[in-house]
């Protein structure tokens, strides 16, 4: 096969041992200043039994080795800074670097959560400002920023539903979730103490109203709905769906992982949602960092406001203060006030765009997804015949006929220099290929990606082996995941 | 308009893409939405601003937050020096802008660093398995409780009042699901350690776990061995919590615990008004299938070379849905990387020396003060002060943030404050605090 594609050429990367293997006794990468107080004798002050021996096999490396180690490892990675990252449902958009700078602002980065409120006004104002802006974007009456990620926001929201319903006499037993839902939705319902009932999707990828109607009874506490849903389609009947649940005294929770399709265009609060989360590490561009940190802002309509996690930031006599006197609150979901540093970045993102800019970004996100769909849909089967929002979801049925599955196409994309799309989710799509380009991809990069997908479609016709055995050009060929799980080795140990 | 700097396409590009979609206008991209869902008006937000204005805005907010004060606050968040290397590494775009390493062939960098993280957390805690991180220390506590319930098939969790009060609040929120039963037991008012006798009265055959913190919220080091023996005698697990990771450089590791959870904020993670931090959960090999969250495991690639990948995902929500061990998905990967770099920079000798400095400074600070409790402490301790508020107010005038007044969490300790010293506490500032308290 050609070693060069439009975007890639083979290049040298360096091997690197683990820190523990680089380590030799006596090396060090630190130097502490001399102490200005006498050194304690721990055997005496702590008691010999409380003092540890040396930390066996803990690394001993020099400063040069530390920087080389992590720099070499970084070259084995891929990130948005290197190119398109079309992971559907994950909204891998550009992470503005200024946001990293402002999160490290001296007074903010060193603010202790228990320092006096008089010395925390700037930080509190950031929290209050972001709550207020997100409320406007979501169409919600109040927002909490305490949850640390989307799934944590789901837990927060469903616990609020539970307390709200309990305050009316009965917390009820079940949470409904469509079969297209993200795995965190059913998992959340369980840890919030509910049973889960799945609702079927119809042939357009939307919630099947008949199955829904049949499932709603007096035991249902809430429906968890993703909108646009996980096949990238807006739930056309959303207002009606909310009405159906409200009619039976149940609540509607919206998983807002796909808010990037809606900001400035449609507001969940306006179409009937009671409570929702938004992953600030998706829509509001805070970096994913290889799997976190995130933040899960939760918005609610006014009837749920008393149940929000405590404390709440509020203005009293012109000063920001934390309000702990919240008798109906579900309590804390996290120590302190949330992933503040992530909130700073999200606020910086919103400030940069302003209202009009946010809407423009949304429209561009819809445009890039629809453009990719238009370029690919002759060769890949679109999963549902419904308009795509910010992502387009294909099924691998055409490729499967030649023995190639979504996971193989994904690995072959790596050879072309792209991170794969989301593989095998949602579960309702046979061999799902979920593509979300986001608004921060230039047309040239989108074209290179589409060209790669189409070239792979050709390869599948002419030479499926090359796809089945991909990747070929990476420093690491296919990784044996089955073997890893058979006898798990999750730490390094001296032989 | 300023925000356009993040949108790379020109109007020409947009026109070409629209044409390829067979659309006549951008509005057609969303005109299929039901009318009741569409918002008719622009969002009420100010116009976008430039990079310079953004930096300025946050500088002004930061200036309102007491930069330049010395501080003796601990209580779960500690001021430690942050080696420059930590920010250098996490600022590399290959780490910063990557996703969860599901595609192992393209994410060996992240996967390798997580494997190293898991290894170092295991070495520090004396456990055999550590996951890739939890949101923070506080949320790791209910995860440990749920894990203990799955392992033992029991539903009662006994938590010490000396566990961080906000961590306990998070546990109580979890208990509102009506499946977890949490009860609290008190402390010995002389030593500041848990009340073992009270625990002995409470523990029974329904008890899934006993949750203690060491050093505890008062700074007192617990006798973990005694608690472990008692818990195990009743078939319950011991969950040990820590908030000050630097203590692990000097104190005996909690090897007798079954599950260790804690907070790595002390490892180069700035206080940042409460987050983002990195929680850990670690346990024994035999409980590996009950641990929540992501795990990285070693394997080989098609060329026979060592490689790493996410493993045992059948515990996780994306595979197991309602049967998952937890709903956690996104964790704190980049923050865990920061801690990994910190551990590499300090290494075996450095972590001990750092811990020794913390302990020595705290001993100096405590010397001559009216300590409330007698148990040994690492770098935090409780002192009596007629009015903690008055002491703190006087210190604030000298640009020093004093200790945490404990009445807020422990009404019976209204006359006490929690003080913390770290390697960054200068002798001169400590002398000022001592003076204010005597
Ligand atoms: C649709 C959907 N729901 C929920 C989540 C969970 O969010 P988080 O990873 O922030 O916990 C995700 C993200 O992976 C998602 O794509």
């Amino acid at each position: 096969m050609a070693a060069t594609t439009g975007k890639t050429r083979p290049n040298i990367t360096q091997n690197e041992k683990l820190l523990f293997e680089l380590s030799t006794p006596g090396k060090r990468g630190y130097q502490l200043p001399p102490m200005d107080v006498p050194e304690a004798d721990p055997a005496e002050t702590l008691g010999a039994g409380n003092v540890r021996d040396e930390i066996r096999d803990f690394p001993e490396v020099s400063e040069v080795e530390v920087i080389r180690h992590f720099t070499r490892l970084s070259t084995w990675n891929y990130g948005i800074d290197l190119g398109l990252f079309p992971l559907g449902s994950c909204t891998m958009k550009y992470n503005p670097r200024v946001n990293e700078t402002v999160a490290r602002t001296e007074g903010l980065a060193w603010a202790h959560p228990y320092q006096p409120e008089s010395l925390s006004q700037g930080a509190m104002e950031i929290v209050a400002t972001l709550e207020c802006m997100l409320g406007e974007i979501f169409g919600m009456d109040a927002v909490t920023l305490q949850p640390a990620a989307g799934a944590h926001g789901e837990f927060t929201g469903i616990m609020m539903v539970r307390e709200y319903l309990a305050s009316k006499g009965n917390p009820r037993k079940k949470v409904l979730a469509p079969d297209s839902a993200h795995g965190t939705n059913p998992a959340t319902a369980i840890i919030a103490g509910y049973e889960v009932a799945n609702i079927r999707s119809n042939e357009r990828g939307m919630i099947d109203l008949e199955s829904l109607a049949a499932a709603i009874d007096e035991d249902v506490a809430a429906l968890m709905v993703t909108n646009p849903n996980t096949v990238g389609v807006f739930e056309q009947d959303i207002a009606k769906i909310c009405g159906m649940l409200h009619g039976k005294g149940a609540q509607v929770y919206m998983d807002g992982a796909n808010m990037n399709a809606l900001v400035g265009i449609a507001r969940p609060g306006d179409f009937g949602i009671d409570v929702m989360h938004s992953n600030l590490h998706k829509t509001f561009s805070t970096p994913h960092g290889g799997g976190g940190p995130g933040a899960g802002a939760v918005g609610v309509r006014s009837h749920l406001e008393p149940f929000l996690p405590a404390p709440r930031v509020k203005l009293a006599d012109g000063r920001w203060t934390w309000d702990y006197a919240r008798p109906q609150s579900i309590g804390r979901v996290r120590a302190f006030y949330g992933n503040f540093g992530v909130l700073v970045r999200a606020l910086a993102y919103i400030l940069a765009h302003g209202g009009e800019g946010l809407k423009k970004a949304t429209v561009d996100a819809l445009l890039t997804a629809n453009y990719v769909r238009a370029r690919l849909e002759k060769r890949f089967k679109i999963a549902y015949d419904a308009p795509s929002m910010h992502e387009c979801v294909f099924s691998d049925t055409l490729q499967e006929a030649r023995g190639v599955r979504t996971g193989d196409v994904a690995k072959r994309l790596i050879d072309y220099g792209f991170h794969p799309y989301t593989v095998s989710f949602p579960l309702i799509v046979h061999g799902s290929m979920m593509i979300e380009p986001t608004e921060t991809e230039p047309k040239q990069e989108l074209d290179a990606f589409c060209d790669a997908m189409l070239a792979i479609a050709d390869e599948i016709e002419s030479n499926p082996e090359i796809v089945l055995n991909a990747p070929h050009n990476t420093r690491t060929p296919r990784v044996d995941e089955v073997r890893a799980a058979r006898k798990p080795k999750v730490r390094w140990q001296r032989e | 308009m300023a925000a356009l700097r993040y949108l790379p396409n020109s109007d020409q590009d947009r026109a070409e893409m629209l044409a390829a979609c067979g659309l006549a206008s951008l509005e057609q991209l969303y005109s299929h939405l039901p009318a009741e869902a569409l918002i008719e008006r622009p969002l009420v937000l100010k116009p976008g601003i430039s990079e310079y204005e953004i930096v300025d805005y946050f500088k002004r907010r930061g200036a309102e937050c007491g930069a330049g004060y010395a501080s003796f606050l601990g209580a779960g968040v500690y001021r430690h020096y942050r080696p420059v290397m930590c920010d250098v590494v996490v600022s590399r775009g290959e780490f910063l802008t990557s996703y969860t390493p599901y595609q192992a062939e393209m994410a060996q960098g992240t996967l390798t660093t997580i494997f190293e993280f898991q290894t170092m957390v295991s070495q520090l805690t004396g456990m055999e398995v550590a996951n890739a991180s939890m949101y923070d220390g506080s949320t790791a506590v209910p995860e440990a409780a749920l894990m203990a319930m799955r392992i033992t098939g029991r539903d009662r969790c006994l938590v010490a009042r000396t566990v961080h009060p906000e961590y306990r609040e998070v546990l109580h929120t979890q208990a509102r699901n009506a499946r977890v039963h949490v009860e609290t037991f008190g402390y010995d008012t002389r030593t500041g350690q848990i009340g073992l006798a009270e625990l002995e009265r409470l523990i029974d055959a329904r008890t899934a776990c006993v949750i203690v913190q060491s050093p505890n919220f008062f700074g007192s080091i617990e006798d973990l061995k005694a608690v472990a023996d008692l818990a195990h005698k009743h078939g319950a697990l011991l969950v040990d919590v820590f908030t000050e990771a630097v203590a692990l450089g000097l104190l005996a590791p909690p090897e007798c615990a079954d599950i260790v959870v804690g907070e790595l904020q002390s490892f180069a993670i700035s206080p940042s008004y409460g987050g983002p931090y990195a929680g850990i959960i670690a346990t024994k090999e035999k409980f590996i299938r009950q641990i929540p969250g992501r795990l990285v495991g070693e394997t080989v690639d098609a060329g026979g070379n060592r490689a790493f990948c996410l493993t045992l995902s059948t515990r996780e929500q994306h595979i197991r849905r309602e049967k998952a061990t937890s709903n956690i998905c996104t964790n704190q990967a980049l923050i865990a990387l920061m801690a990994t770099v910190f551990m590499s920079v300090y290494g075996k000798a450095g972590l001990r020396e750092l811990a020794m400095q913390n302990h020595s400074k705290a001993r100096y600070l405590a010397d001559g003060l009216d300590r409330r409790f007698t148990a040994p402490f690492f770098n935090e301790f409780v002192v009596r002060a007629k009015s903690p508020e008055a002491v703190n107010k006087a210190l604030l005038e000298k640009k020093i943030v004093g200790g945490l007044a404990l009445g807020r969490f422990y009404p019976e300790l209204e006359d006490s404050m929690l003080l913390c010293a770290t390697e960054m506490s200068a002798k001169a500032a400590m002398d000022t605090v001592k003076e204010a308290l005597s």
Side-chain angles (χ1 to χ4, degrees), chain B residues 69-129:
Chain B
Y69 280 66
S71 169
F72 292 87
L73 284 171
V77 180
Y78 304 91
R79 286 167 78 95
H80 293 291
Y81 177 71
R82 304 182 57 238
V84 168
M85 192 73 83
C86 300
D87 273 348
V88 168
V89 171
V90 300
S91 298
R92 283 193 69 94
E94 299 90 332
F95 287 128
L96 181 74
T97 71
S98 64
Y99 194 70
T100 304
Y102 289 124
Q103 295 291 341
E105 296 80 3
M106 233 176 178
Q108 284 299 307
T110 294
L111 287 161
T112 307
T113 63
I114 295 175
F115 186 80
E116 292 178 331
F117 172 83
Q118 292 174 178
T119 302
M120 285 192 266
V121 170
S122 300
Q123 292 168 338
L124 280 176
T125 56
M127 293 287 112
E128 293 161 343
V129 177

Side-chain angles (χ1 to χ4, degrees), chain A residues 45 52 77 111 136 332 364 480, chain B residues 14 44 110 173 273 299 359:
Chain A
T45 55
R52 83 180 295 159
N77 254 13
E136 164 68 4
R332 281 183 172 282
D364 274 2
D480 189 347
Chain B
R14 288 192 183 90
V44 184
T110 294
T173 300
Y273 206 51
T299 183
H359 182 56

Side-chain angles (χ1 to χ4, degrees), chain A residues 88-136:
Chain A
S89 210
C90 302
T91 314
M92 296 295 282
K93 61 170 76 177
Y94 168 61
N95 306 138
R97 282 301 180 125
V98 66
N99 301 357
E100 298 308 303
T101 301
V102 296
R104 288 170 171 81
T105 303
E106 171 88 10
L108 302 178
W110 285 95
H112 190 291
Y114 292 149
Q115 71 192 31
E117 287 179 355
S118 61
L119 285 184
S120 309
Q121 290 294 303
M124 296 170 84
E125 180 159 327
I126 286 168
V127 173
T129 305
L130 183 59
E131 281 185 1
C132 178
M133 289 181 170
L134 291 174
E136 164 68 4

Side-chain angles (χ1 to χ4, degrees), chain A residues 18-21 29-30 33 35-36 40 45-46 50-52 54-55 57-59 63 67 69-71 73-74 77-81 87 90 92 95-97 104 107 109-112 114-115 119 122-124 136 151 159 162-163 181 183-184 188 190-193 236 239 265-267 287-293 322 324 329-330 332-337 339-341 351-354 360 364 411 418 439-441 443 476-480 484-485 489-492, chain B residues 3-4 6-9 14 16 21 32 34 36-39 41 43-44 46 48-49 51 61-62 64-65 74 77 80 85 87 91-100 103 105-110 115-116 118-119 123-124 128 138-139 164 166 169 173-174 176-177 179 221 248 250-252 270-276 297-302 306 309 311 317 321-322 327 330-334 344-345 347-348 350 352-353 356-357 359-361 377 408 427:
Chain A
L18 296 176
L19 281 167
F20 317 101
E21 298 158 342
Y30 77 98
M35 267 208 290
D36 53 7
T45 55
L46 296 169
N50 280 327
V51 180
R52 83 180 295 159
E54 65 161 30
I55 310 165
D57 292 331
F58 211 65
E63 180 163 330
I67 190 78
H69 177 72
F70 290 102
T71 305
L73 294 186
S74 77
N77 254 13
Y78 184 85
I80 305 163
D81 282 1
L87 268 182
C90 302
M92 296 295 282
N95 306 138
R97 282 301 180 125
R104 288 170 171 81
W110 285 95
H112 190 291
Y114 292 149
Q115 71 192 31
L119 285 184
M124 296 170 84
E136 164 68 4
M159 289 308 275
R162 170 180 270 282
E163 291 298 318
T184 50
T188 294
I190 295 292
I191 57 163
Q236 290 293 326
I265 288 176
R267 306 196 309 166
H288 276 265
W322 288 110
Y324 291 85
S329 164
I330 61 165
R332 281 183 172 282
V333 296
R334 188 194 181 286
F336 316 120
Y337 324 110
N339 277 347
F340 177 77
L351 290 175
H353 283 78
K360 240 184 148 76
D364 274 2
K411 298 294 185 208
F418 293 100
E439 71 279 10
T440 61
E441 287 310 322
K443 180 169 177 294
T476 306
R478 259 193 216 203
V479 170
D480 189 347
K489 190 170 168 196
V490 297
R491 66 179 161 142
W492 178 87
Chain B
L4 294 182
Y6 300 152
L7 299 179
N9 286 302
R14 288 192 183 90
E16 284 173 25
C21 297
H32 65 281
E36 70 270 20
L38 290 171
I39 174 171
R41 57 169 180 81
L43 292 176
V44 184
K46 292 209 181 83
I49 58 176
E51 184 174 305
R61 296 294 79 75
E64 294 159 1
C65 287
V77 180
H80 293 291
M85 192 73 83
D87 273 348
S91 298
R92 283 193 69 94
E94 299 90 332
F95 287 128
L96 181 74
T97 71
S98 64
Y99 194 70
T100 304
Q103 295 291 341
E105 296 80 3
M106 233 176 178
Q108 284 299 307
T110 294
F115 186 80
E116 292 178 331
Q118 292 174 178
T119 302
Q123 292 168 338
L124 280 176
E128 293 161 343
S138 73
T139 56
H164 195 298
E166 296 199 10
E169 286 179 47
T173 300
Q174 177 62 61
R176 287 172 183 257
N177 77 353
R179 308 237 161 122
I221 296 167
L248 292 166
L250 184 59
L251 298 185
S270 46
S272 191
Y273 206 51
E298 185 182 319
T299 183
V300 294
D301 64 21
R306 175 168 68 191
C309 63
T311 195
Q317 46 74 29
R321 303 176 73 81
E322 59 265 33
N327 72 340
T330 291
N331 57 22
Q332 302 287 124
L334 195 75
S344 319
V345 168
K348 186 190 280 187
R352 186 165 188 106
E353 193 178 329
M356 274 299 296
Q357 287 211 357
H359 182 56
S360 303
K361 297 261 187 175
F377 62 92
R408 161 179 181 183
K427 181 168 177 290

Side-chain angles (χ1 to χ4, degrees), chain B residues 189-240:
Chain B
T189 54
R190 191 180 58 87
T191 63
Q193 295 166 310
I194 66 156
L196 208 57
E198 188 182 346
L199 174 60
E200 198 155 8
R201 277 197 304 279
L202 276 177
I203 195 165
D204 63 12
R206 255 183 72 199
T207 306
C209 62
V210 176
I211 306 174
V212 301
Q213 176 180 324
S214 184
N216 67 25
F217 191 68
F218 302 144
S220 298
I221 296 167
E222 297 283 4
D223 181 359
L224 287 181
K225 190 75 184 49
V227 196
D229 288 346
L230 181 59
H232 294 157
K233 200 171 91 191
H234 290 84
L237 303 187
L238 172 62
V239 175
D240 174 47

